[in-house]
Amino acid sequence: MKAIQDLYPDDFSHCYGCGSRNTHGHQLKSFVEGSEVVARFTPSSHHMSVPGFVYGGLLASLVDCHAMATAASSEITDNVAPRFVTAVLHVEYLKPTPLGSELEIRGHVTERSARKAIVEMTVTVAGTVTVRANAVAVRMPKTMQS
Amino acid sequence: MKAIQDLYPDDFSHCYGCGSRNTHGHQLKSFVEGSEVVARFTPSSHHMSVPGFVYGGLLASLVDCHAMATAASSEITDNVAPRFVTAVLHVEYLKPTPLGSELEIRGHVTERSARKAIVEMTVTVAGTVTVRANAVAVRMPKTMQS
């Protein structure tokens, strides 16, 4: 099974967070698992906020990309996933996220219209939810496609 | 004048977004300017979402670190800025942020208690506000200081 991000059109596979063609980036990979979309990611040692804990900006970045993949997951046609972009991103850091373990990011769509989707997510590490987040994903506007 | 981040205690200067001791990171620098706190940052060419536009996760990361510096800015004592961490981060992407120019991030505190501060921010590029954001910053808990 391919990651949703690997089904984005080649011209839009350069995202720093999840683009397969961005060799500098995080290359997040999100997969459909039942009624949810799941990504697993192990931060590097330099992705810290303070020693021992994951940088909140990285967590925001991961849920951002994961939300766009989750929004696209049910609209894949002919092995191509449509590209959504973020209108709103809301992240609640429930507790510090320890560095050194794999993160599990789970997302599902709670509302959808023709143009947008609302995605809710959690980040779990070693069985504990440390982050809750939601995002408003919108179809990429034509102004970004030129 | 030193950046607020350069006044964080050495033990807490490793943040990927703004730590002076994180050589892999963004090293954001925020400065008090009148009643606001301002940072300027030029994204790298690989910090893209889709070609021509800045990655939203980077924008979230920058406002996150800038919010913590803004919260700390009025509590600097003996040239040491206290370390805040993010409880909530809310980012509204008003329009795509073009890549290739310097971003100006402005923040100010709108509410403050002994333990936390609420910070509102904008990101402006070439005179246009492309992002509005706010964050709840809390004093770093003892559990993160061991």
Side-chain angles (χ1 to χ4, degrees), chain A residues 3 5 20 23 25 31 33 37 42 45-46 49 51 56 60 64 89 95 101 107-110 118 120 123 128 141 143:
Chain A
Q5 290 89 352
S20 57
T23 53
F31 298 89
E33 287 188 18
V37 177
T42 302
S45 58
H46 58 260
S49 52
D64 184 358
L89 178 66
K95 47 185 75 180
S101 300
H108 65 280
V109 172
T110 59
I118 296 174
E120 294 196 352
V123 179
T128 299
T143 51

Side-chain angles (χ1 to χ4, degrees), chain B residues 2-8 15 17-19 27-33 36-39 61-76 80-86 105-109 112 117 119-121 135-138:
Chain B
K2 275 194 166 183
I4 294 160
Q5 290 89 352
D6 291 339
L7 303 177
Y8 288 153
C15 174
C18 65
Q27 302 212 340
L28 185 75
K29 305 285 187 194
S30 305
F31 298 91
V32 175
E33 287 188 18
E36 291 193 305
V37 176
V38 183
S61 299
L62 297 175
V63 295
D64 183 358
C65 286
H66 188 67
M68 299 311 106
T70 302
S73 65
S74 60
E75 300 195 17
I76 296 167
V80 177
R83 199 71 177 79
F84 283 76
V85 294
T86 312
I105 308 159
R106 305 189 80 91
H108 65 281
V109 173
R112 183 182 289 279
V119 180
E120 294 197 354
M121 289 162 290
V136 180
V138 297

Side-chain angles (χ1 to χ4, degrees), chain B residues 59-125:
Chain B
L59 295 164
S61 299
L62 297 175
V63 295
D64 183 358
C65 286
H66 188 67
M68 299 311 106
T70 302
S73 65
S74 60
E75 300 195 17
I76 296 167
T77 307
D78 295 335
N79 261 341
V80 177
R83 199 71 177 79
F84 283 76
V85 294
T86 312
V88 181
L89 178 66
H90 182 85
V91 187
E92 297 175 21
Y93 300 93
L94 306 176
K95 48 185 77 178
T97 299
L99 193 61
S101 300
E102 184 181 74
L103 311 177
E104 183 183 81
I105 308 159
R106 305 189 80 91
H108 65 281
V109 173
T110 58
E111 280 183 60
R112 183 182 289 279
S113 68
R115 202 180 69 86
K116 73 178 187 181
I118 295 175
V119 180
E120 294 197 354
M121 289 162 290
T122 55
V123 179
T124 302
V125 56

